Amino acid sequence: MNIAVTGGAGFIGSNFVYYELKNHPEDRIICFDALTYAGNLETLNSAMENPSFKFIRGDITNRKQVETFFENEKPDILVNFAAESHVDRSIENPQLFLETNVLGTSVLLDACRKYSVDRYHQVSTDEVYGDLPLDRPDMMFTEESNLHTSSPYSASKASADLLVQAYERTYKVPATISRCSNNYGPFHFPEKLIPLMIINALNNRKLPVYGDGLNVRDWLYVEDHCKAIDLIIREGHVGEVYNIGGHNEHSNMDVVKMILHELNKPESLIEHVADRKGHDRRYAIDPTKIQTELGWQPETKFEDGIKKTIKWYLDNRSWWEHIMNGEYQHYYERMYGSRKKYVYSSL
């Protein structure tokens, strides 16, 4: 099969690319990514060496680029990871999130309809459900939970989900949706909580924690997430939503302290800062549906996953140092700008 991965130079998308190349060598993987600030082509260096992989630079909001991609690559399955995903950035610039996450999704759906793909899969988030109270650990999000967004980011993702469901019902686009809890692992962009805390701790800088730090997240190791998506696109039922959770609930403060302990750094590095606007208190996913229907289970305990993640950042300093100094943003033109087989049109 030809599997198109939009946003494949980002965190979860790149991990999915590597998962597919390893576990399904019979398939061809084509990455379509605009290489915005969070897309890092260096992340795909090893994939570039695989003859089953191809990278195309393009923007999902650009209809001409998307249709050219479909005409040339003829994907059987499209997995959409492409999204603006940082909540703080969405508060500063909501329009960008609407353009990429909603309008971009509509362009992809139109192309899937026009070129008759076998499956369109939308990678969504548990943030579309809003939050849960800290004093009700028995409460969890299910696929039937109401959408109740708290930020421009989550509103844009919920809007995209509704659009996917509308295209499935109205135009019979064979679509599925997954909503995951917070991911962590290799290639996580340094602005997010876990990599930021690891990098700051390594450099003996203050670790900024929003508010009281008691906000709780259900942490999902990224490889476990990739396994779930792989199952959904191959065995999941068209029109269905699947929640993917890690059964690993921890407060932000607990996560930060684990990182400091693992790196043998003092807790005095923690610095409380003003809380984020509309900051959700707790997320918790009930993954019973995907466990029952597809046999998926999260395999990585947080205590093990965080150690693997910290080791990865220790072993791959050049990757995140290039991001911190901005060098990664020039990597594409330096390495591939003149190699036309990697690009259909410039952005």
Side-chain angles (χ1 to χ4, degrees):
M1 289 191 301
N2 290 335
I3 301 178
V5 181
T6 57
F11 167 42
I12 307 175
S14 62
N15 277 278
F16 182 74
V17 165
Y18 285 116
Y19 182 87
E20 293 299 301
L21 290 173
K22 177 182 177 181
N23 292 280
H24 298 283
E26 72 280 5
D27 292 333
R28 181 167 169 264
I29 311 300
I30 314 104
C31 172
F32 186 79
D33 197 297
L35 298 181
T36 56
Y37 80 95
N40 184 359
L41 196 60
E42 288 186 75
T43 301
L44 295 172
N45 275 348
S46 296
M48 292 291 191
E49 300 172 2
N50 191 315
S52 296
F53 176 78
K54 185 176 183 179
F55 177 82
I56 306 296
R57 189 177 189 184
D59 188 337
I60 64 169
T61 67
N62 187 312
R63 193 172 297 272
K64 182 178 179 181
Q65 289 183 1
V66 168
E67 292 195 352
T68 299
F69 173 76
F70 272 74
E71 288 170 2
N72 284 297
E73 306 302 333
K74 299 175 174 56
D76 301 297
I77 294 174
L78 187 142
V79 184
N80 181 28
F81 292 94
E84 296 287 343
S85 64
H86 196 259
V87 175
D88 289 343
R89 288 178 183 264
S90 81
I91 293 171
E92 292 178 359
N93 185 5
Q95 182 175 334
L96 178 60
F97 284 69
L98 297 176
E99 290 171 352
T100 300
N101 299 355
V102 182
L103 297 180
T105 297
S106 73
V107 171
L108 293 177
L109 288 167
D110 284 338
C112 287
R113 179 186 171 206
K114 180 177 180 178
Y115 295 97
S116 302
V117 299
D118 296 330
R119 178 66 62 88
Y120 171 91
H121 183 73
Q122 177 76 1
V123 180
S124 188
T125 170
D126 59 358
E127 294 192 42
V128 301
Y129 297 123
D131 64 352
L132 297 167
L134 290 176
D135 59 356
R136 288 293 306 276
D138 57 307
M139 294 180 65
M140 305 179 79
F141 296 131
T142 72
E143 291 79 2
E144 304 304 317
S145 297
N146 292 328
L147 302 186
H148 189 70
T149 62
S150 303
S151 68
Y153 161 63
S154 57
S156 70
K157 292 296 287 186
S159 300
D161 286 4
L162 293 173
L163 197 60
V164 172
Q165 291 176 320
Y167 268 68
E168 190 278 325
R169 179 166 180 171
T170 302
Y171 302 117
K172 307 305 178 187
V173 173
T176 46
I177 298 170
S178 60
R179 294 172 179 152
C180 66
S181 55
N182 282 42
N183 280 220
Y184 68 104
F187 301 117
H188 204 175
F189 200 74
E191 70 183 357
K192 298 300 180 76
L193 176 70
I194 287 178
L196 177 64
M197 298 302 151
I198 293 172
I199 292 168
N200 279 15
L202 287 172
N203 289 294
N204 295 309
R205 296 179 185 147
K206 289 293 185 179
L207 277 59
V209 175
Y210 281 133
D212 58 16
L214 299 181
N215 307 70
V216 171
R217 301 294 182 258
D218 174 19
W219 292 97
L220 175 67
Y221 193 62
V222 66
E223 185 176 7
D224 289 343
H225 186 193
C226 293
K227 291 178 182 178
I229 294 173
D230 181 68
L231 272 174
I232 294 169
I233 64 174
R234 297 172 190 276
E235 301 179 25
H237 303 293
V238 168
E240 294 297 316
V241 175
Y242 295 93
N243 281 353
I244 308 171
H247 284 312
N248 284 305
E249 287 188 52
H250 295 281
S251 72
N252 289 346
M253 184 61 73
D254 286 343
V255 170
V256 171
K257 288 181 178 180
M258 285 185 199
I259 291 170
L260 289 171
H261 176 76
E262 189 66 24
L263 292 173
N264 196 29
K265 299 289 184 175
E267 292 185 8
S268 59
L269 287 175
I270 296 173
E271 180 179 61
H272 290 270
V273 298
D275 208 352
R276 168 195 289 161
K277 295 178 181 179
H279 199 179
D280 290 334
R281 291 301 276 173
R282 174 176 171 255
Y283 303 145
I285 282 282
D286 181 353
T288 299
K289 180 177 179 178
I290 191 172
Q291 292 172 350
T292 302
E293 293 189 9
L294 303 182
W296 176 85
Q297 292 278 357
E299 299 176 10
T300 309
K301 294 181 180 179
F302 186 76
E303 292 75 11
D304 299 327
I306 195 65
K307 291 179 180 179
K308 290 197 292 185
T309 300
I310 291 171
K311 184 178 187 305
W312 188 90
Y313 279 86
L314 287 169
D315 294 342
N316 293 271
R317 279 181 171 269
S318 63
W319 180 85
W320 55 263
E321 285 175 348
H322 285 176
I323 292 175
M324 301 301 283
N325 65 27
E327 184 178 342
Y328 81 106
Q329 294 179 319
H330 307 293
Y331 183 82
Y332 176 84
E333 294 301 331
R334 188 171 72 251
M335 298 299 293
Y336 301 106
S338 62
R339 298 162 78 173
K340 297 302 180 184
K341 75 173 185 174
Y342 289 114
V343 60
Y344 289 142
S345 59
S346 60
L347 297 179

